[in-house]
Amino acid sequence: MKTHATILCKQFTPQGIISVPPSKSIAQRALILASFSETPSQVEHIGSSADVNACIDVLTNLGATIRHIDPTSKPRSQNDTDNHNAKDPYRSVTIKPIELQKFSTPLTIQAQESATLARMLSCIVPGLFTKLNIARESCSAVITGTGTLLKRPMNKTAMFLETLGLDVSLREHKWLPMKLQGNFRPGSHHINELDSSQPVSGGIIGLSLLDSDSKIYIREQPSIPYSLLTAHLANLFGAQITYDIQNAMWHIKGVQSLHGITYRVESDWSAASLWLAAAALHGSITIKNINLASHQPDRQILELLDSYGADITITSANSNESAQSSLRNSNNCTLSLTANNRRAFTFDCRDTPDLFPSACLLAAGCTETSTIHGLKNITGKESNRVETLITILKKLGASCSLSDSTLKIKGISHFKNAELVLPPDHRMCMFALLAACNLAADASLHLTIANGGSFEEVIAKSYPDFLNHYMLVGGLLS
C-alpha cells in the first residue's frame, strides 16, 4: 500500500456519503470488560484501529482468548449497509475471559500508544489482585508503552492509585513505565484533582471486582461523561455503578463477578465531528449508521453545529421516522449536513476534549471571534494540542489569543497557503487535511510529520480508512 510521508493538499468541496469507524473508546472498554468477566462474550463492530489492536494484544497476553469472526461466514442483515464493516477483518470477535486460576504475577502490560489502556488497566488490575486474594507483597505490575505514550503525563494517575492504597513509581515521577505494588481495599476514597477520566473509568471497574462496596469522591474530575459511558457499559456486564453528580461521588457495589454479553460497538462521534465541521465550512456530508441516542460525549458536536448555522437533516435508517423519534429510539440514523451560515460561538471542551480540533476548525472559518473554554487537560494528549492548533491556525491566517484555559479565535473566510510540520498525532493530521476544504482557490497546504512517519501510520491509531474516505468525498492529495 502506498504511504505518504508528505502531502500537498488543494482546496476541495467535501461532498459524499461515508460511514465513520467504530468508537475505539467503546471498543476498548467492551473488550476489557469482556476479558475480566467470568463467562464468554461477543463484541461486534470493533474496527481495526491501532489502539483496538493494542487492546487485543494486551488482553491476550493477560490470558483472554479473542477470536475474530469472519464477516463472510454469516449473512449480513438487510440493514447492515456499512461498507467499512464489510471489509473489516476485526468486525466481530468472541472473547473467552482471562482464566483467573492461571493468573500470576508480576505482570507487565505493554499498552503501545494507548493512554486509555495504560490508565484504565493500571486501575483495574489492583482490583483483580484483591479478588484473587493474592498476597499484597506479591501484587506487582509494570505498565509501559511506546512512542507518544512515553511522553504523556501519568503523575495524576499515580496519585489516584496511591489514594486507593497502592505504592506507585514513575520515570522521573511523571512518565511511563509505571510500577505498581499492592491491591485495592474497599472503602471511601477522596481525590482532589485528575487530568483525565481514564483512571476513574479503570477504578470503578477494578473496585467492582471486590466483595464490598466503595465510594470515590473527586473534587475536580474532567470528562465526567466518559466515566459515565464506562459505568453504562460496565453495568451491562453486571456491575452496579452510579454517580451522584450533586456530591461528585461515585458509588461502586462490590459485585465481585461480571458476566459476558453480546454487544455491538457503535460508530464514533469523535471521528464524525471533524467531517461535520469541515462540511459546515464548505460542502455537504452524509454520515450513515450514527447513534443519536449515544452515551458518547462527543455527540455534543450537533449542538455546536446547530448554533454555528449549519443545515442538519436526520433520518432513521430503518424507516421514515421523525428526527425526534430517532433521537429517542434509533441507534442507526443517517445524518446529513450542508454548509450555510458561519456564526461565532462559545464552547466548553472540559468534558469533550476530542471536540477541540472540530471547534477550532469551525472558529477558524468564521470572521467573528469565537471562544473555546476548558483547555486545561488538552495539553497532555499525543501532542500539546493547544500549542499545535494555535500554530496551525495562525499559519492559516486566523488570529488567536490564549488566556489560562480559554482560547479566542478570530477566523478568516478562506485559509492561506501554509507549510505545516505536524506532530505524530492522529487528530492533528486529520484536522490539517480537512482544513484544506476552506483554502482559497489558489492556495495549498504542504504537510509533513515531524518524526518522518507516514500519515497512514499515524492516523491508523483511530481511523485506518481516513485517507480513503478523504479522497472518496473529493479530497485532493499529491
Side-chain angles (χ1 to χ4, degrees):
M1 182 183 73
K2 182 180 178 181
T3 60
H4 296 79
T6 64
I7 288 178
L8 181 66
C9 300
K10 298 288 188 180
Q11 192 276 337
F12 75 104
T13 301
Q15 297 276 0
I17 302 172
I18 58 173
S19 293
V20 295
S23 165
K24 70 182 181 73
S25 297
I26 293 179
Q28 286 180 303
R29 285 162 170 78
L31 290 168
I32 288 168
L33 286 160
S35 296
F36 285 91
S37 296
E38 297 198 0
T39 54
S41 295
Q42 180 167 308
V43 181
E44 302 174 348
H45 191 223
I46 64 170
S48 55
S49 69
D51 275 4
V52 167
N53 293 340
C55 187
I56 291 173
D57 289 345
V58 167
L59 296 171
T60 300
N61 289 336
L62 288 175
T65 301
I66 301 176
R67 300 191 186 282
H68 301 150
I69 299 172
D70 183 351
T72 64
S73 66
K74 60 179 182 178
R76 297 173 70 211
S77 70
Q78 193 172 11
N79 294 325
D80 189 1
T81 57
D82 188 340
N83 290 330
H84 176 84
N85 293 350
K87 300 175 186 176
D88 191 346
Y90 301 146
R91 179 170 177 255
S92 300
V93 292
T94 58
I95 302 101
K96 182 180 177 184
I98 297 165
E99 296 185 56
L100 299 183
Q101 65 272 23
K102 297 181 181 179
F103 197 80
S104 61
T105 60
L107 295 178
T108 297
I109 294 175
Q110 171 52 265
Q112 298 180 38
E113 291 202 64
S114 174
T116 298
L117 281 180
R119 293 189 178 118
M120 282 189 64
L121 288 175
S122 68
C123 299
I124 295 174
V125 165
L128 186 61
F129 290 159
T130 302
K131 174 183 171 68
L132 296 177
N133 294 314
I134 298 173
R136 185 173 174 83
E137 60 273 14
S138 299
C139 296
S140 62
V142 175
I143 317 293
T144 190
T146 60
T148 58
L149 185 57
L150 298 177
K151 300 176 183 178
R152 298 181 69 170
M154 295 288 163
N155 48 311
K156 294 290 178 68
T157 299
M159 291 170 61
F160 178 83
L161 286 163
E162 288 168 347
T163 302
L164 270 62
L166 273 75
D167 297 323
V168 186
S169 64
L170 288 166
R171 176 173 58 90
E172 299 176 1
H173 307 290
K174 192 171 184 178
W175 318 107
L176 294 181
M178 176 191 294
K179 297 180 181 179
L180 310 178
Q181 188 75 41
N183 54 10
F184 282 164
R185 293 168 182 166
S188 296
H189 308 281
H190 294 255
I191 316 290
N192 282 328
E193 183 183 17
L194 286 169
D195 59 357
S196 168
S197 65
Q198 292 159 349
V200 182
S201 287
I204 59 179
I205 295 172
L207 290 169
S208 295
L209 301 177
L210 309 188
D211 60 3
S212 298
D213 300 349
S214 298
K215 298 178 182 179
I216 307 176
Y217 165 78
I218 305 172
R219 185 177 60 84
E220 188 175 343
Q221 180 191 335
S223 304
I224 291 173
Y226 279 95
S227 296
L228 292 172
L229 172 64
T230 303
H232 168 73
L233 288 170
N235 291 344
L236 294 178
F237 282 84
Q240 296 182 39
I241 302 165
T242 58
Y243 182 63
D244 178 354
I245 191 169
Q246 194 166 21
N247 296 303
M249 182 78 73
W250 290 95
H251 296 264
I252 306 103
K253 188 169 184 61
V255 297
Q256 290 191 277
S257 299
L258 304 175
H259 60 74
I261 64 172
T262 296
Y263 181 79
R264 181 176 175 83
V265 178
E266 65 194 39
S267 298
D268 184 30
W269 274 100
S270 301
S273 71
L274 269 171
W275 290 112
L276 295 170
L281 292 180
H282 187 54
S284 181
I285 286 287
T286 294
I287 296 179
K288 299 188 302 180
N289 304 322
I290 198 82
N291 182 5
L292 294 179
S294 176
H295 289 266
Q296 293 179 65
D298 289 347
R299 188 171 72 93
Q300 191 177 345
I301 188 66
L302 280 183
E303 298 174 20
L304 176 56
L305 291 163
D306 185 57
S307 67
Y308 192 71
D311 288 338
I312 301 170
T313 303
I314 298 165
T315 58
S316 169
N318 299 320
S319 69
N320 293 320
E321 293 175 288
S322 68
Q324 289 75 21
S325 175
S326 296
L327 278 167
R328 289 195 301 271
N329 304 317
S330 182
N331 62 2
N332 189 17
C333 291
T334 297
L335 191 161
S336 298
L337 182 144
T338 301
N340 189 358
N341 297 313
R342 297 185 184 186
R343 292 195 286 259
F345 59 87
T346 297
F347 186 69
D348 193 335
C349 285
R350 175 177 164 79
D351 287 336
T352 55
D354 286 343
L355 290 186
F356 179 54
S358 302
C360 285
L361 187 58
L362 293 170
C366 175
T367 56
E368 299 175 343
T369 300
S370 297
T371 303
I372 305 174
H373 299 295
L375 309 186
K376 182 178 179 181
N377 299 308
I378 298 178
T379 59
K381 298 287 188 177
E382 285 84 353
S383 67
N384 182 332
R385 288 182 182 164
V386 176
E387 286 185 359
T388 300
L389 281 169
I390 288 174
T391 299
I392 292 173
L393 293 174
K394 287 181 176 179
K395 289 189 174 183
L396 293 176
S399 301
C400 301
S401 173
L402 179 66
S403 177
D404 295 327
S405 61
T406 295
L407 177 63
K408 291 184 180 294
I409 302 170
K410 181 177 174 58
I412 57 175
S413 58
H414 293 94
F415 301 151
K416 303 188 304 184
N417 274 314
E419 291 191 11
L420 303 176
V421 179
L422 303 168
D425 181 334
H426 57 127
R427 298 202 192 279
M428 298 299 91
C429 290
M430 290 188 284
F431 173 93
L433 285 157
L434 285 172
C437 77
N438 196 52
L439 285 169
D442 58 347
S444 61
L445 296 179
H446 187 271
L447 310 178
T448 58
I449 297 176
N451 67 353
S454 75
F455 282 84
E456 286 80 0
E457 181 182 13
V458 171
I459 295 173
K461 179 178 175 68
S462 63
Y463 198 156
D465 284 339
F466 177 81
L467 287 176
N468 290 333
H469 289 176
Y470 185 81
M471 290 183 285
L472 181 68
V473 300
L476 304 173
L477 303 177
S478 60

